[in-house]
Amino acid sequence: MKANNNPIDHGLPADELSCVSLLSKLVTYVVPRGLIPIFIIFSLFGRAPLEAAPAVAWNFDLPGERSGWEAKGVEASKVREGVYRILGKEEFQLILPPGLDISPEKDTYFKIRLRTFSPRYLRIYWQPAGSRARLPFVTIQPYMDQNFHTYWVDLSKSPAWHGKINRVGLIFGGIPGMVEIDSLEIGPFSVKEYLASQWREFWLPRTLNIATINSLNSPRLFGKPFISWLNKVAVIVLVLGAFFYFKTKGTRRIKITLMTGLALLIIWLLYDIRETYSQFKMVDEIYRSYVKPPPENKTFPALGAFHRFIELCREKIPPEAQYHFYSDPYWPYDCRIKYFLYPRRINSDTLSNIIAGKKIPYYVVYHQPGIRFDTTSRQIRYHSPEGDFEISKPGRIIVSFGENSFIFLEEQ
Amino acid sequence: MIFIEILKISLAYLIPTLVGLVFISVLEKGKAGLKGVEKLALSFALGSGFVSSYMFYLGVLGIRFNFWTASAIVWPFLICGIFILGKRGPKSLICFSRPLIFSGKTKWKMLLTVLLFALLLWKTSFISFEILACPTYFDDSVANHNYKAKVFYHNQSLVLDKDHPDFLGGYMPWKAPGTSLFKTWVAIWVGTWKEYAVNLNSLFVFLALGLISYYSLARILPPLASLAFTYMILSIPLLTFHAAFAYVDIVAGWYFFSGIVYLIRWIREKDRTAFFLSALLFGVGLSTKNEMIALFVGGALPVLILYQLITRAKFREMLQTTACYLGLVIIFNVPWFVIKGVYNLALGIPEEYRQLEFHPEGFNILASYLFDSGNYNILWPVFFCTLIFSSLLVAKTELKYLLISLAGALAVTLSLFIFTSFFEYLRSGMTINRALLTILPVIVFYIAAFYGKLTEEKELHINEEQ
């Protein structure tokens, strides 16, 4: 193809003040000289010292730092490696110590860095000095991607944020599960700190889990998905491109189209480069956890040591055999063990591919504390709220894998 | 040992490509309308589809799968290939030419080209790593497509006893078995079940999708723009991710895209080879996913009929053309449809999802996926703006056929989520993005075609070297 005959292979338009040159300036000047410095400034903020001290702050780095905190509805909690871990019911409360003495005029921001392992919402409430009334809630919907996220809440937006604040409480609602709090602060807004935390948020890796195939999350920037910002910029570029396109005539229209196309390509590239980083982090994670370690230490994201257990099953269960399978929860292990161990045939509460009438002598138990081997009767027993009962004939454990995982073989 | 394994895997993928190559060469009747690399990519698409269909026929006839029965399909094509080589010379089979993508460019264009290639190279490496290093990971591969392939391989047949747990692959027997059967073919050639060997299919699909899109775009756009739009297709985040984790939606998307692109090429260039290719691609594509039937009916059939109506084709001619196209699409799948009929298996979506109900709240959820998730880069706003801006041009150009195809495909896909209880899969986000993934390459093609129109594409570049 004679590429030079086509408009896309022409040089950029002459440097005159026109619609075309405006667009070309946007592409060739604003993007490299505007966006790149913004990114550099962002990264510098990530290293800049903090501006102002918060009124109250907890980092959970020191023992006893949690003294004075009150907890309701909490099943278990502990502080480990600078993180406050709470296992809660449907709803649990954490009430910060009394006498906080917060000045609402100055200390306007509530900042919390946390992660949740079940769908949760967080409601913040407060009590002014001398009052026992809970004042209106401010609600946060934490993201559930197994990363710690920092949430900035502007409490001054609430008309009730006035007077001296004596107590602050946090209500976690939603589905029961673990919540981990890395830090919590109430204090004045700090531009440096805000930008630094947004920069960190932007570079958070994408967690590989069993549901990632359904939808990929976008990195976040200023509380919104990065892609939503880029989508807006893309629409602006397109509308501007259309405006200039219809204002001009002839070959200039081609140049405007080229410039618009190029600007969109640059926006696409911006996201794709960030996506490339996500892909790189994924490769790195799998390499470090699954490829590099020796067989006895291999784990896989979201599945842990499951593949090692599969190898063990392959070794111990003959290919033509049938087995019962128990795990808690069944998914994601049931369909995987069915696939990886085939032609061995599975029988479980959720899946079955057994040949009817043929014996099922093997019992494969993976992470199921309710199923135990009874050394007296040499049988497998199921411990349920309704009571204990045997689910096998006598036999022996042919191999154990950690605390609640083993393979049991019935005597013939 | 490793060398022998690599050789076996290479043969498992090269032989279907050779089958496709010979078939396309016969179809071309000596006219070299397709570029070398494009022909190779198409050969893989058709060849792997032929092989899957052939395996299905063997299974239906009760012939056991083994190396000899599986490789029996190769011999007629091999003999035919040798005949073509002898009669017309090697160039009639395949002829490579030097791509012009790196030549005669200004500095910034060269830089852009290198950047795009570097990013594409990374994506290929990412996909290769995930396939070669990881066991099959996600549910639909584990529970459905790879499981079925493993069952077919182990039983050396389809298992047509309805009471057997391995009946038609053992899991959701109504689901199309095309991709699974191709994986079985690979395992037969390798001689054992190897995760990475069967999953390599999606890497080759990814590469073939890129090649077909580049060479199709290069007929309406200059090389750099073709590369840029090809890069956009291959770098759609969800598409790259699906290729890396061997999901079947990318295979369906590949066939849908190729089928539509060659249908449009037939309309633009009146090239009969493109007509047959389009029909055959849909023919083999129908066996990859049940949804492909709806996509074909909604996305390809209206284009075929409307084009003939607009060009005022004679009724008899129209009937002939439509029957020929439909015949080619259906012929491969007749045994599959017969089996479905005999065993009373659902043709489309399961019965529990067939009740009509309207879910307007679905639009909000859909919008959050299209504009706030990381699945599509900036594709959707660009597409919607393109739709608005192209409205003045659509009726006058071939863009209307692409638009009809897209409208049909989007309608059949989205209506399922909005107008039936299948809405629950939109709410949970489980399948909506995967369903849309199949259509995304055609959306990029539409944007590219519109871009081509705006940059005053005056003539086709079909006779020029890419």
Side-chain angles (χ1 to χ4, degrees):
Chain A
M1 177 183 283
K2 288 165 189 164
N4 289 340
N5 290 341
N6 200 290
I8 199 163
D9 286 335
H10 291 164
L12 289 174
D15 193 18
E16 56 182 295
L17 196 63
S18 65
C19 310
V20 178
S21 64
L22 265 176
L23 260 181
S24 73
K25 276 189 167 60
L26 180 81
V27 173
T28 55
Y29 190 90
V30 176
V31 171
R33 286 170 217 190
L35 290 179
I36 293 167
I38 287 172
F39 272 75
I40 294 167
I41 289 165
F42 254 109
S43 56
L44 288 177
F45 270 125
R47 292 150 209 270
L50 301 183
E51 248 173 6
V56 286
W58 289 267
N59 287 316
F60 309 106
D61 291 331
L62 303 169
E65 205 182 335
R66 228 170 7 111
S67 66
W69 282 52
E70 201 181 312
K72 291 177 186 171
V74 170
E75 286 190 345
S77 72
K78 65 179 168 186
V79 174
R80 204 170 74 186
E81 293 162 359
V83 175
Y84 181 21
R85 292 156 205 245
I86 312 116
L87 185 63
K89 295 176 183 165
E90 280 88 353
E91 184 177 294
F92 69 88
Q93 273 191 62
L94 299 174
I95 305 161
L96 309 189
L100 293 175
D101 199 23
I102 296 165
S103 307
E105 299 77 30
K106 185 165 66 78
D107 304 317
T108 52
Y109 268 79
F110 176 87
K111 196 183 95 178
I112 188 165
R113 184 170 147 77
L114 62 84
R115 66 175 167 181
T116 60
F117 291 89
S118 60
R120 289 281 193 185
Y121 60 84
L122 164 60
R123 283 175 168 179
I124 307 153
Y125 69 88
W126 55 90
Q127 287 174 346
S131 165
R132 292 194 67 78
R134 278 184 189 175
L135 287 172
F137 299 115
V138 176
T139 306
I140 303 171
Q141 192 71 58
Y143 323 123
M144 208 185 68
D145 62 359
Q146 293 174 28
N147 282 317
F148 276 103
H149 290 276
T150 308
Y151 303 90
W152 291 68
V153 185
D154 184 0
L155 296 172
S156 66
K157 278 185 181 170
S158 167
W161 188 250
H162 62 81
K164 278 281 175 195
I165 306 297
N166 192 31
R167 281 202 109 171
V168 174
L170 314 175
I171 299 175
F172 287 89
I175 309 290
M178 183 82 84
V179 173
E180 294 185 348
I181 304 174
D182 178 62
S183 64
L184 190 156
E185 283 179 27
I186 300 172
F189 182 71
S190 156
V191 179
K192 276 182 190 172
E193 204 187 334
Y194 180 69
L195 290 177
S197 85
Q198 291 308 304
W199 187 242
R200 281 195 302 272
E201 282 282 309
F202 181 71
W203 289 107
L204 282 176
R206 175 182 293 142
T207 315
L208 184 63
N209 63 55
I210 305 293
T212 315
I213 197 77
N214 298 325
S215 186
L216 304 173
N217 62 324
S218 158
R220 299 188 78 86
L221 197 60
F222 304 122
K224 286 191 173 181
F226 177 49
I227 195 66
S228 69
W229 297 112
L230 292 183
N231 278 334
K232 287 177 184 90
V233 175
V235 170
I236 291 167
V237 166
L238 277 160
V239 170
L240 278 176
F243 173 75
F244 291 130
Y245 182 89
F246 287 114
K247 256 191 109 177
T248 54
K249 279 182 181 172
T251 51
R252 282 178 178 248
R253 285 188 159 188
I254 297 170
K255 286 169 184 170
I256 285 168
T257 309
L258 293 176
M259 288 301 116
T260 310
L262 194 56
L264 291 173
L265 181 63
I266 290 168
I267 299 167
W268 185 288
L269 279 165
L270 276 179
Y271 189 79
D272 189 44
I273 288 166
R274 175 61 184 83
E275 179 65 22
T276 300
Y277 173 75
S278 286
Q279 291 163 351
F280 168 76
K281 292 297 285 181
M282 207 173 284
V283 167
D284 184 49
E285 184 187 8
I286 292 172
Y287 179 76
R288 279 190 289 107
S289 64
Y290 188 74
V291 179
K292 196 182 169 193
E296 64 274 16
N297 293 331
K298 282 185 192 295
T299 58
F300 206 86
L303 291 177
F306 181 67
H307 284 289
R308 272 171 22 219
F309 185 67
I310 292 286
E311 282 309 315
L312 207 59
C313 292
R314 280 188 181 136
E315 209 178 284
K316 302 289 177 189
I317 304 174
E320 69 283 359
Q322 305 199 116
Y323 60 94
H324 294 285
F325 178 65
Y326 303 94
S327 73
D328 185 23
Y330 272 109
W331 185 84
Y333 306 112
D334 52 356
C335 55
R336 280 166 182 77
I337 202 160
K338 180 186 172 195
Y339 168 68
F340 286 112
L341 290 191
Y342 187 88
R344 298 159 189 87
R345 294 182 181 276
I346 186 174
N347 185 46
S348 77
D349 286 355
T350 49
L351 293 171
S352 176
N353 64 357
I354 53 160
I355 305 280
K358 203 178 156 190
K359 281 186 178 172
I360 316 175
Y362 287 90
Y363 288 72
V364 176
V365 181
Y366 187 70
H367 285 184
Q368 169 51 292
I371 293 186
R372 289 176 208 155
F373 176 64
D374 181 17
T375 46
T376 319
S377 64
R378 295 190 303 114
Q379 284 171 296
I380 297 284
R381 290 179 71 86
Y382 178 52
H383 302 260
S384 73
E386 292 80 38
D388 290 8
F389 48 93
E390 287 96 17
I391 54 172
S392 76
K393 291 175 187 169
R396 64 191 170 91
I397 288 182
I398 53 173
V399 68
S400 288
F401 186 82
E403 209 173 321
N404 299 311
S405 308
F406 57 86
I407 304 170
F408 172 86
L409 175 62
E410 271 182 354
E411 280 170 5
Q412 299 301 306
Chain B
M1 283 303 281
I2 291 170
F3 172 74
I4 292 171
E5 194 165 298
I6 292 171
L7 186 73
K8 283 175 176 176
I9 295 168
S10 306
L11 285 173
Y13 288 97
L14 277 174
I15 283 171
T17 311
L18 181 74
V19 167
L21 190 67
V22 173
F23 187 87
I24 295 171
S25 300
V26 171
L27 208 64
E28 281 189 311
K29 291 179 184 168
K31 290 182 286 175
L34 297 163
K35 303 292 169 200
V37 189
E38 177 190 20
K39 196 171 172 180
L40 215 56
L42 271 173
S43 302
F44 176 60
L46 283 182
S48 57
F50 289 163
V51 158
S52 308
S53 303
Y54 169 72
M55 298 285 285
F56 190 79
Y57 305 155
L58 285 183
V60 171
L61 293 171
I63 300 169
R64 292 182 82 77
F65 302 157
N66 58 45
F67 177 78
W68 300 109
T69 55
S71 60
I73 189 178
V74 181
W75 303 110
F77 285 94
L78 197 66
I79 293 162
C80 192
I82 293 167
F83 178 75
I84 292 172
L85 272 177
K87 200 179 171 191
R88 299 183 199 155
K91 283 194 173 179
S92 63
L93 211 55
I94 194 154
C95 175
F96 295 102
S97 52
R98 197 174 70 88
L100 289 180
I101 190 73
F102 284 110
S103 56
K105 290 202 184 322
T106 55
K107 204 174 168 184
W108 73 268
K109 284 179 185 172
M110 200 63 184
L111 271 173
L112 185 59
T113 308
V114 170
L115 175 66
L116 297 182
F117 266 110
L119 285 166
L120 286 175
L121 183 67
W122 160 257
K123 284 175 202 318
T124 309
S125 312
F126 166 66
I127 294 166
S128 307
F129 172 83
E130 299 295 351
I131 288 172
L132 296 175
C134 304
T136 310
Y137 186 57
F138 289 108
D139 273 29
D140 211 26
S141 297
V142 165
N144 185 9
H145 301 287
N146 276 26
Y147 177 73
K148 277 185 173 179
K150 208 173 181 182
V151 168
F152 294 144
Y153 176 70
H154 173 73
N155 288 291
Q156 294 183 290
S157 74
L158 293 182
V159 184
L160 296 173
D161 171 6
K162 206 171 181 180
D163 297 325
H164 195 282
D166 290 345
F167 170 62
L168 280 176
Y171 178 80
M172 297 190 179
W174 65 87
K175 288 205 170 186
T179 309
S180 303
L181 281 164
F182 185 65
K183 291 186 175 197
T184 307
W185 158 277
V186 173
I188 289 169
W189 276 82
V190 176
T192 181
W193 183 266
K194 293 265 181 196
E195 293 284 311
Y196 75 90
V198 299
N199 288 341
L200 269 175
N201 183 37
S202 61
L203 171 68
F204 296 128
V205 167
F206 177 80
L207 294 173
L209 173 67
L211 292 171
I212 291 171
S213 89
Y214 175 78
Y215 283 96
S216 301
L217 287 164
R219 298 171 94 89
I220 55 171
L221 293 170
L224 181 55
S226 306
L227 176 68
F229 282 106
T230 301
Y231 155 76
M232 282 171 79
I233 290 178
L234 296 181
S235 66
I236 295 169
L238 195 65
L239 190 139
T240 315
F241 195 80
H242 273 234
F245 288 95
Y247 246 46
V248 81
D249 306 82
I250 185 177
V251 184
W254 175 49
Y255 280 116
F256 181 67
F257 172 76
S258 311
I260 293 295
V261 158
Y262 285 93
L263 184 62
I264 299 296
R265 192 183 293 185
W266 168 64
I267 289 171
R268 287 172 58 96
E269 302 173 18
K270 315 288 179 280
D271 177 2
R272 292 294 283 177
T273 309
F275 174 84
F276 290 122
L277 280 174
S278 169
L280 290 165
L281 285 162
F282 272 114
V284 293
L286 286 198
S287 67
T288 56
K289 258 190 118 182
N290 281 2
E291 292 86 330
M292 279 297 283
I293 299 172
L295 285 173
F296 169 71
V297 173
L301 216 49
V303 175
L304 180 75
I305 293 167
L306 208 76
Y307 166 67
Q308 294 178 92
L309 286 174
I310 288 171
T311 52
R312 296 199 175 91
K314 285 177 189 159
F315 181 71
R316 196 176 162 170
E317 197 184 318
M318 186 174 154
L319 210 64
Q320 272 178 349
T321 308
T322 311
C324 175
Y325 193 87
L326 270 176
L328 283 172
V329 172
I330 292 167
I331 195 162
F332 289 100
N333 300 286
V334 170
W336 172 232
F337 294 144
V338 170
I339 288 284
K340 280 201 166 200
V342 168
Y343 291 97
N344 199 22
L345 304 172
L347 192 64
I349 54 167
E351 209 158 317
E352 64 263 32
Y353 297 116
R354 288 186 196 165
Q355 192 137 10
L356 278 178
E357 44 189 70
F358 181 43
H359 292 279
E361 67 272 35
F363 291 109
N364 265 342
I365 304 170
L366 192 62
S368 75
Y369 280 117
L370 301 190
F371 305 122
D372 290 340
S373 77
N375 296 313
Y376 310 106
N377 205 320
I378 55 167
L379 186 60
W380 287 102
V382 173
F383 173 58
F384 288 132
C385 289
T386 304
L387 272 185
I388 297 166
F389 300 146
S390 64
S391 55
L392 297 171
L393 214 60
V394 161
K396 290 182 269 180
T397 62
E398 306 88 43
L399 279 176
K400 60 178 165 286
Y401 299 115
L402 265 176
L403 189 61
I404 289 163
S405 169
L406 276 176
L410 283 169
V412 294
T413 305
L414 293 179
S415 57
L416 185 67
F417 292 95
I418 302 289
F419 296 110
T420 73
S421 57
F422 210 73
F423 166 73
E424 69 182 81
Y425 290 100
L426 170 61
R427 186 166 46 194
S428 67
M430 263 178 75
T431 55
I432 178 67
N433 298 302
R434 291 196 263 142
L436 288 171
L437 174 66
T438 319
I439 310 166
L440 299 180
V442 181
I443 290 180
V444 178
F445 195 81
Y446 180 81
I447 298 167
F450 176 60
Y451 176 85
K453 289 287 168 202
L454 290 186
T455 48
E456 282 194 352
E457 165 237 358
K458 285 195 174 132
E459 58 189 70
L460 295 172
H461 306 276
I462 47 177
N463 297 319
E464 297 170 30
E465 285 295 312
Q466 297 306 316

